[in-house]
Amino acid sequence: MKPIKILYIEDDDSQRISFSKTLRNAGFKVTTASSGTKGLQKFNKNPTDIILCDLNMPGLDGIRVVKKLKKNNPELICIVTSAHGSIKSAMKAIEQGAYDFITKPLVIEEFNSSIQKALEQREMKKEIQKYASNLEDMVKERTEKLDYANKQLTALNKLSSRLSKFRNEDKLIERIPELLTKSLDFDRSLLLLDIDGRLTLRSFNFLHDSKKMTNTFERFVKNGNFPVNQIIHQCFNENRTIFKKNIKRFKSWENYSIELSEMPASYVLTPIRVKNIPIGVLAGNLQHHQRELEHQDIVRFETFTNIVGLSIDKIRGYQNLESKVKERTESLHTVNIELKKKARQLEKTSMDLAEGNIQLLAVKEILEEKNEVMQNVLSELSQRKNELQSLLDTSLSGIIMVNTDGKIVAANQVFNEFFDVDTGKFINKNIKEFNKKIGKKFASPKLYDKRVRSFLKSGKNRSTNVDRHVMFRDALEVVIPTHRYISLYSSIVEDRNGKIVGRVWSYTDITKEKESDEQVHAIIEVSPLPFIISRLHDGKILYANKPLADLIGYKVEDLVGRVTPDFYYVPQDRDKILAALKRNGFLKNFETQIITYSGEPIWMVLSLVITRIGGENVVVGALYDISKIKSALEKLAKANNEIKEAQAQLVQSEKMASLGMLVAGVAHEINTPLGAVMSMHDTLIRAIDKMKGIVKNSLSSKTTTKDDIQRMFDIIDDANEVITAGTLRVKQIVKELKTFARLDEADLQSVDVNECLEETIKLFEHELKDKVKLIKNFSDLPEIACYPAKLNQVFLNLLINSNQAIDKEGEISINTYTENSNICITIKDNGEGIPESSLDKIFDPGFTTKGVGVGTGLGLSISYKIIQEHKGDISVKSKEGKGSTFKITLPTNLISKLEGTQ
Amino acid sequence: MNESEWQPNIVIVDDEQLVLSSLNSFLSLETNYIVNTFLSANEAIEYIGNNDTDLVVSDYLMPEMDGITFLSKVRELKPEIPRIILTGYADKENAIKAINEVGLFHYIEKPWDNDDILIIFRNGLEKQRLLKTLQEKIREVDKANSELDGLQSEIVRAFV
């Protein structure tokens, strides 16, 4: 260690000499100066470690010396000496940079300790300075590294955001080596992926290599035959980063034309991981650069590779999702198409149903009307039957009617007189019994029998060909009870269609006729049926009876002498009749119109026969008035046409009629419990199947399946409940529907109209829009005679109209009350109302305000018709935008009104 | 999300106890779904608001509010839940219109076929499951991103 150098500045010579001696003895190297100026000069020439300086000196004093020295040498240790009592000056010196002051007389120990402290402090300062400068260097160095790292980070960040933009894995992989070399300052990079268990080179990037080298590697990528060396396998298999420095060449590549630089290179290899599973290897190579592979490079390389792994994962995730979403979209699309198809089918079915309903309704109406017509026809027929009976009763001939079985169906009482037999006893008995009985009464029973047989054998209508001469000739003689002559006739009876329905036997007493033709006239004259006798060749009327004259409005005497052609409404009919008469000698049941006195034609049916009376060929005709039947038939035909017309109208309207709309609501009501029951039933079947399995298992394995069995029991209990309740509900709905339609009650009935309304409302409620309020205000009503099903239909029509008239919110109020022995029903809504111009048309068939496709336009006209049938009245008051009120008035005495009109 | 472990939570609304009982029995027999049935649409809305729901089925005609109104409220509340309407109302036009307006997943007609119910519910739930998986993936990507952020700050720390 070098001795410490001291410059001692002291003006007092004795003190200077003595203390410098002491200092030298203590081991310091001492130089001295006798004044401040000299001290400064000496220090500048030969600097010392320490200055010992007296304060009180002539010229430059100690304080100024310290100040000057410190100014140029801040590290210099200055110690000042002073006489006792000059502390103030000493403090001043310290302020100027002196380290310490020592009071005179100077003592070496005191000085030594002060020096020691000063030196220690100076060492510390130096130390601090050294640290300080070290710190600065470190900060500088770190800042540089940080800058570099920052740049790298920015690059990584950019890289990461660039990678995240890739949506295609192949494109990403192709770009990665290039991004690696550029952003992390590598010279070469390779990317290999595990493809079917084999590491395969997928992409690479060389910054400084020859074209030949690049071509070689491009072939590797293309052909997939890159010779993967051991270090790459190690990295992948051990799933860890590997780095090697100063590698010159890889042995395994020596056989390939891979040029490796002569310069030693560093390599980093890191496995690319997706969800922590290695899928390949990324390799980097530093070669041409001066810099060494450092720890940060490896960290960055690993980070880069991690980002690559995450990006691939992300892309795969996206692709997977994309394909799934695409798949779902396609399947949803298919479902959607199916749904639309199904909906169209359902719509069609629904329309078919509606149409079927309309047809049913039409058929129902036809049946009702036909029924009415049939009633009329039947009453006509019964009238005719009565007429026939009276004819039989008043006939002078014995007439007996036999059906095809030979059974007697009718006979008059004339036989009583002729043969003294009660014909009543033979009704419903066989004709043979009758013949046996009366045969005995003839003069020659055999002849009678023979005659009967000949009628049965001979043609069908021969008997009506009455030739008077034959009649007289063939007269049978009766001996019991009185003597008389009977002429027997028989005729087959045919119905309108020519079908044989029986035979009529007529026994005529011709005892008197045998004597006079006049007597024939007398018989005809008393006949209640119209008869006529006219001349064949010109039609001159020889005789007409009173019934005929009455029928056509003439007097008998006015008719006689006129000619028959005057009376045919269709002249050609007479030609036809004559032709038939000349051909067959007779004509039966010919329908023609005869002109009456008033000029009006009436329908008659004629039966004519040619005969000779008084030596002339004459035509005897029986006429029969069929005008009533005819008009009934015409009514029937007309009714038929009307029905057909109405049916066509209904069928043509393609959209739902009121009944169809009702069906929609009812369908919902039925389908809800039906759905529950059907589903539950299916569930029950499944549950029982499972139960069988459980029971079987429990029998074989003895494992407790109590919970499973209990679950099945619960389902079975639920099923019983749902199926029972659901079935009852459907039954109830069907009952309601039946009550509404009154399928079993087509006749006039005495009902409470309020109840009819309630029934209709019950079914209609399902149709009500949510925001439509229904207000009922019913008064007590007397029961009235009506057709409830038809009234229900009217109410339903009006309610449907009201509901449709209300666009959003609104109310429908129904009032019933009595008024002048009528009952009134009003249905009022606050909907859109009816334009004034339409008010007088709304009951016309086909008129609709609902627009195409909403209504048929028949609802109100049908309602009008139904109310007319009830001898009631339907009217409407309406204001556009305010609403409409329909009023129905029904008489309480419908039955007497109907009778009054008949 | 694993399909086999997933136990979907479904809500069925119908004003008819019959319908609820039969569907509940059937689903408890054939599926692992947690079935919640409601006679009241308002109660169902409250439940859906407070619970994780994967599928909602509703009747069409109900006294409180109709099924379309109900399902449109469900859509406002949780638009991702698949919605199905169960209708006995024969008015196809309205039903189809409603599907388009309210964005229904499907409509089922009463009376229904149990197998149809199984398929339609399963499809609806599969859609919901995929949606949930998608959300999970998005969360994973987000997590990966934040991991990246973490890695970056780790590197920065390594250098300081």
Side-chain angles (χ1 to χ4, degrees):
Chain A
M1 186 181 168
K2 284 197 257 177
I4 296 164
K5 288 191 277 183
I6 296 173
L7 175 61
Y8 182 22
I9 306 167
E10 173 61 62
D11 58 337
D12 186 305
D13 290 339
S14 65
Q15 275 187 44
R16 189 177 67 236
I17 291 161
S18 80
F19 196 63
S20 61
K21 215 176 188 175
T22 314
L23 285 172
R24 280 191 191 100
N25 290 341
F28 294 103
K29 198 180 174 190
V30 184
T31 47
T32 58
S34 56
S35 72
T37 316
K38 279 179 186 166
L40 288 179
Q41 282 168 356
K42 278 203 171 173
F43 183 82
N44 286 338
K45 215 187 265 174
N46 195 3
T48 57
D49 300 315
I50 294 166
I51 302 292
L52 184 62
C53 182
D54 185 28
L55 278 176
N56 291 315
M57 291 187 295
L60 200 61
D61 67 11
I63 294 171
R64 280 192 285 176
V65 170
V66 167
K67 193 180 173 185
K68 285 201 170 180
L69 283 170
K70 273 287 185 182
K71 193 181 171 190
N72 294 325
N73 307 282
E75 302 297 317
L76 186 65
I77 301 169
C78 296
I79 295 169
V80 291
T81 64
S82 69
H84 184 75
S86 61
I87 295 292
K88 220 174 174 182
S89 309
M91 291 310 293
K92 224 170 182 180
I94 286 175
E95 274 172 22
Q96 293 301 327
Y99 175 71
D100 203 356
F101 74 95
I102 304 169
T103 315
K104 287 177 182 175
L106 297 176
V107 182
I108 187 68
E109 283 77 19
E110 198 178 349
F111 180 75
N112 262 342
S113 99
S114 181
I115 288 284
Q116 203 57 42
K117 280 192 277 178
L119 284 175
E120 268 174 26
Q121 197 181 12
R122 200 176 68 170
E123 266 320 299
M124 268 166 68
K125 265 190 186 169
K126 268 188 188 164
E127 200 63 19
I128 287 167
Q129 211 164 21
K130 203 173 105 194
Y131 275 120
S133 74
N134 266 355
L135 195 67
E136 263 170 33
D137 286 351
M138 238 166 78
V139 166
K140 203 179 160 197
E141 189 190 344
R142 288 279 163 99
T143 308
E144 276 166 9
K145 279 187 180 173
L146 199 60
D147 270 355
Y148 182 68
N150 233 341
K151 273 181 199 158
Q152 295 289 348
L153 269 178
T154 316
L156 279 175
N157 210 359
K158 268 189 194 162
L159 189 68
S160 145
S161 71
R162 274 177 84 176
L163 291 185
S164 73
K165 278 175 190 139
F166 280 92
R167 286 289 178 271
N168 183 302
E169 189 177 329
D170 289 340
K171 280 186 185 161
L172 174 72
I173 282 166
E174 205 180 295
R175 288 294 307 281
I176 283 169
E178 189 193 334
L179 291 167
L180 174 72
T181 50
K182 279 185 184 162
S183 57
L184 294 190
D185 271 350
F186 279 80
D187 297 316
R188 291 169 171 167
S189 71
L190 303 177
L191 190 151
L192 298 96
L193 283 185
D194 178 15
I195 295 174
D196 301 328
R198 214 177 126 245
L199 282 172
T200 311
L201 181 69
R202 286 294 307 274
S203 53
F204 66 95
N205 184 252
F206 298 156
L207 279 188
H208 309 287
D209 288 284
S210 66
K211 184 74 184 163
K212 190 183 164 199
M213 177 85 161
T214 312
N215 288 342
T216 305
F217 272 72
E218 269 167 3
R219 273 198 301 281
F220 284 147
V221 171
K222 204 178 155 198
N223 300 329
N225 57 352
F226 177 69
V228 180
N229 61 21
Q230 195 246 332
I231 198 169
I232 297 174
H233 277 303
Q234 190 189 357
C235 165
F236 183 74
N237 291 338
E238 294 175 11
N239 189 13
R240 64 179 178 92
T241 300
I242 292 176
F243 58 93
K244 300 252 177 192
K245 292 182 182 177
N246 298 325
I247 300 281
K248 275 212 164 174
R249 55 176 61 243
F250 293 114
K251 261 191 175 175
S252 57
W253 283 354
E254 277 171 358
N255 295 333
Y256 297 87
S257 53
I258 299 170
E259 303 167 15
L260 288 171
S261 164
E262 285 306 310
M263 255 198 259
S266 304
Y267 294 90
V268 194
L269 295 97
T270 298
I272 303 169
R273 302 183 188 95
V274 170
K275 294 195 195 316
N276 282 330
I277 295 162
I279 61 156
V281 173
L282 190 62
N285 169 311
L286 264 182
Q287 197 155 36
H288 292 79
H289 284 239
Q290 291 295 328
R291 70 188 183 90
E292 243 327 307
L293 185 65
E294 285 180 47
H295 178 67
Q296 291 97 316
D297 287 316
I298 294 163
V299 168
R300 281 198 303 274
F301 192 85
E302 283 187 320
T303 309
F304 179 88
T305 315
N306 279 341
I307 294 170
V308 167
L310 283 167
S311 301
I312 291 173
D313 185 23
K314 200 163 114 187
I315 287 172
R316 287 183 181 176
Y318 273 127
Q319 280 173 345
N320 194 17
L321 274 177
E322 263 170 24
S323 74
K324 277 209 176 168
V325 165
K326 200 179 159 201
E327 198 179 293
R328 290 304 306 154
T329 312
E330 274 167 11
S331 91
L332 282 175
H333 184 65
T334 317
V335 169
N336 204 11
I337 288 169
E338 278 296 312
L339 191 68
K340 278 183 184 159
K341 217 165 94 191
K342 223 173 176 184
R344 274 201 298 276
Q345 281 171 356
L346 287 169
E347 191 178 18
K348 190 172 172 294
T349 312
S350 163
M351 272 163 69
D352 288 348
L353 187 65
E355 195 176 308
N357 268 319
I358 292 165
Q359 284 173 350
L360 270 177
L361 189 69
V363 168
K364 196 182 154 205
E365 278 188 19
I366 293 169
L367 286 175
E368 280 169 2
E369 300 211 12
K370 276 207 168 166
N371 192 28
E372 202 175 301
V373 173
M374 280 307 292
Q375 289 287 345
N376 290 343
V377 172
L378 277 176
S379 75
E380 289 283 341
L381 284 176
S382 98
Q383 206 179 328
R384 288 290 151 244
K385 197 182 166 196
N386 290 339
E387 281 173 15
L388 186 65
Q389 189 61 45
S390 71
L391 172 67
L392 278 176
D393 290 348
T394 50
S395 172
L396 288 175
S397 297
I399 292 172
I400 197 159
M401 292 171 104
V402 182
N403 68 10
T404 49
D405 296 333
K407 210 178 262 182
I408 298 168
V409 293
N412 59 9
Q413 296 297 317
V414 179
F415 294 97
N416 207 356
E417 187 195 332
F418 286 0
F419 303 114
D420 192 22
V421 291
D422 183 2
T423 47
K425 286 183 181 171
F426 291 93
I427 297 292
N428 282 334
K429 300 233 166 103
N430 199 292
I431 182 78
K432 281 179 185 166
E433 280 183 47
F434 176 76
N435 282 337
K436 210 173 163 187
K437 174 95 179 175
I438 62 165
K440 293 171 187 167
K441 316 238 171 173
F442 284 88
S444 166
K446 277 187 181 174
L447 185 62
Y448 171 70
D449 192 44
K450 194 180 162 193
R451 184 66 51 80
V452 168
R453 283 168 193 275
S454 79
F455 271 119
L456 292 172
K457 252 190 245 169
S458 71
K460 294 177 178 178
N461 297 314
R462 192 58 49 89
S463 56
T464 57
N465 188 6
V466 178
D467 184 319
R468 295 189 70 80
H469 302 289
V470 172
M471 184 172 85
F472 295 143
R473 195 187 60 219
D474 290 349
L476 293 161
E477 192 181 359
V478 176
V479 288
I480 300 166
T482 51
H483 187 274
R484 64 179 77 218
Y485 289 96
I486 297 291
S487 174
L488 177 62
Y489 302 94
S490 177
S491 169
I492 283 166
V493 180
E494 292 176 349
D495 65 9
R496 250 171 221 277
N497 300 324
K499 191 186 161 208
I500 299 169
V501 294
R503 189 175 268 276
V504 177
W505 296 89
S506 156
Y507 297 75
T508 311
D509 183 348
I510 55 164
T511 317
K512 284 175 186 166
E513 289 182 41
K514 273 189 135 182
E515 287 147 21
S516 172
D517 286 346
E518 292 304 312
Q519 283 168 325
V520 176
H521 295 162
I523 292 165
I524 291 172
E525 193 168 327
V526 297
S527 166
L529 278 182
F531 274 99
I532 187 168
I533 301 173
S534 62
R535 219 153 53 189
L536 180 64
H537 74 272
D538 60 359
K540 185 181 176 190
I541 295 168
L542 300 173
Y543 179 78
N545 66 356
K546 196 168 183 295
L548 175 69
D550 288 349
L551 185 65
I552 61 174
Y554 285 86
K555 289 179 178 169
V556 172
E557 47 270 37
D558 292 337
L559 277 175
V560 175
R562 297 187 67 151
V563 290
T564 51
D566 294 347
F567 295 90
Y568 286 99
Y569 188 66
V570 182
Q572 290 83 351
D573 280 0
R574 180 174 143 85
D575 300 337
K576 286 182 198 165
I577 290 166
L578 285 178
L581 283 175
K582 282 176 180 165
R583 196 165 56 242
N584 300 324
F586 64 94
L587 177 66
K588 277 205 328 178
N589 297 339
F590 185 87
E591 285 182 13
T592 185
Q593 280 171 289
I594 301 297
I595 301 165
T596 62
Y597 184 77
S598 66
E600 282 289 309
I602 59 169
W603 278 99
M604 299 257 210
V605 60
L606 307 182
S607 288
L608 304 167
V609 63
I610 297 175
T611 186
R612 286 184 71 85
I613 290 178
E616 273 187 310
N617 282 332
V618 296
V619 177
V620 177
L623 293 88
Y624 189 78
D625 173 12
I626 55 165
S627 60
K628 281 183 182 169
I629 292 174
K630 258 301 198 226
S631 79
L633 281 172
E634 271 168 15
K635 266 192 217 163
L636 184 65
K638 202 179 151 205
N640 235 337
N641 282 339
E642 278 172 11
I643 288 161
K644 276 181 190 158
E645 216 171 281
Q647 189 186 16
Q649 232 174 347
L650 284 165
V651 170
Q652 269 173 6
S653 68
E654 293 171 358
K655 299 294 170 183
M656 286 186 190
S658 60
L659 206 67
M661 297 183 69
L662 184 68
V663 166
V666 173
H668 179 263
E669 280 303 294
I670 292 181
N671 285 338
T672 295
L674 192 62
V677 170
M678 284 170 68
S679 163
M680 201 68 232
H681 185 232
D682 178 61
T683 306
L684 187 62
I685 291 167
R686 291 168 192 255
I688 288 169
D689 271 355
K690 289 203 176 172
M691 182 98 157
K692 281 180 190 163
I694 292 164
V695 170
K696 211 183 259 176
N697 281 342
S698 74
L699 287 176
S700 58
S701 72
K702 286 184 180 175
T703 45
T704 47
T705 47
K706 215 175 148 188
D707 286 352
D708 285 340
I709 292 177
Q710 186 56 49
R711 200 156 64 89
M712 296 305 141
F713 278 162
D714 289 346
I715 286 170
I716 290 167
D717 285 345
D718 277 351
N720 281 334
E721 204 173 295
V722 169
I723 290 171
T724 308
T727 317
L728 277 176
R729 179 79 58 79
V730 175
K731 195 177 156 189
Q732 181 63 30
I733 292 161
V734 171
K735 196 178 151 196
E736 279 171 19
L737 194 64
K738 230 168 125 185
T739 317
F740 172 81
R742 303 254 182 178
L743 293 175
D744 40 354
E745 303 163 8
D747 290 337
L748 263 184
Q749 286 178 46
S750 189
V751 298
D752 184 346
V753 171
N754 286 339
E755 280 172 21
C756 284
L757 277 164
E758 290 284 6
E759 280 161 20
T760 307
I761 289 165
K762 213 184 279 175
L763 283 159
F764 178 70
E765 264 170 347
H766 315 303
E767 288 296 323
L768 272 184
K769 295 171 189 168
D770 288 340
K771 286 167 183 170
V772 176
K773 223 168 102 185
L774 195 70
I775 299 163
K776 291 183 279 186
N777 193 0
F778 293 175
S779 312
D780 282 344
L781 298 177
E783 290 198 345
I784 62 160
C786 64
Y787 303 100
K790 290 183 176 178
L791 281 188
N792 283 348
Q793 198 187 338
V794 173
F795 299 149
L796 183 66
N797 277 335
L798 296 180
L799 286 171
I800 287 172
N801 285 345
S802 292
N803 190 35
Q804 283 170 343
I806 295 170
D807 187 24
K808 285 172 185 166
E809 284 183 38
E811 53 182 51
I812 300 174
S813 58
I814 307 173
N815 290 294
T816 62
Y817 52 93
T818 51
E819 187 182 84
N820 305 332
S821 80
N822 290 325
I823 67 168
C824 296
I825 303 109
T826 63
I827 296 179
K828 182 181 172 185
D829 66 69
N830 57 359
E832 60 192 14
I834 302 162
E836 207 178 325
S837 55
S838 308
L839 266 179
D840 53 346
K841 287 180 246 165
I842 60 165
F843 294 107
D844 292 350
F847 181 80
T848 178
T849 57
K850 292 173 192 169
V852 179
V854 180
T856 58
L858 290 174
L860 279 176
S861 69
I862 288 170
S863 299
Y864 184 77
K865 206 180 123 203
I866 290 170
I867 298 302
Q868 271 194 327
E869 267 177 55
H870 284 83
K871 303 286 171 201
D873 187 44
I874 179 166
S875 63
V876 62
K877 279 182 188 167
S878 182
K879 253 192 181 168
E880 251 190 296
K882 291 272 166 92
S884 311
T885 306
F886 280 84
K887 181 178 175 184
I888 297 168
T889 311
L890 295 170
T892 49
N893 54 345
L894 178 61
I895 290 172
S896 59
K897 280 204 172 187
L898 286 174
E899 278 168 359
T901 54
Q902 268 181 357
Chain B
M1 194 179 302
N2 195 323
E3 198 177 345
S4 60
E5 288 167 9
W6 188 39
Q7 211 181 2
N9 199 37
I10 76 170
V11 165
I12 306 178
V13 187
D14 197 307
D15 61 321
E16 284 288 350
Q17 184 58 46
L18 287 180
V19 173
L20 295 180
S21 296
S22 58
L23 281 176
N24 190 23
S25 294
F26 173 64
L27 292 174
S28 78
L29 186 74
E30 293 291 348
T31 72
N32 68 338
Y33 306 161
I34 300 165
V35 182
N36 304 282
T37 60
F38 295 92
L39 285 165
S40 147
N42 282 325
E43 280 173 27
I45 285 172
E46 202 188 322
Y47 176 86
I48 293 163
N50 297 327
N51 296 275
D52 198 4
T53 310
D54 298 308
L55 185 79
V56 178
V57 186
S58 169
D59 186 24
Y60 187 21
L61 282 182
M62 295 186 292
E64 237 172 359
M65 66 178 86
D66 69 36
I68 296 302
T69 313
F70 166 66
L71 289 178
S72 68
K73 285 189 177 184
V74 172
R75 179 164 78 165
E76 278 168 31
L77 206 61
K78 292 190 176 174
E80 73 283 1
I81 304 177
R83 299 170 294 278
I84 293 173
I85 201 145
L86 186 61
T87 174
Y89 196 64
D91 189 352
K92 296 295 163 318
E93 249 173 67
N94 276 336
I96 289 159
K97 212 173 95 196
I99 288 181
N100 295 332
E101 276 176 7
V102 191
L104 294 184
F105 177 70
H106 222 291
Y107 94 92
I108 298 170
E109 207 183 329
K110 291 176 184 176
W112 64 90
D113 186 274
N114 277 347
D115 287 327
D116 280 354
I117 292 264
L118 273 190
I119 291 162
I120 292 165
F121 281 23
R122 203 172 285 157
N123 286 345
L125 288 167
E126 175 69 8
K127 184 187 162 196
Q128 175 72 349
R129 193 180 66 81
L130 283 176
L131 208 75
K132 282 193 167 177
T133 314
L134 180 66
Q135 283 169 347
E136 215 170 84
K137 285 282 169 201
I138 289 168
R139 270 202 297 278
E140 267 175 34
V141 171
D142 284 349
K143 200 180 148 204
N145 270 335
S146 68
E147 269 174 9
L148 270 180
D149 287 346
L151 266 171
Q152 267 173 245
S153 53
E154 227 172 87
I155 294 163
V156 173
R157 268 203 303 279
F159 289 132
V160 170

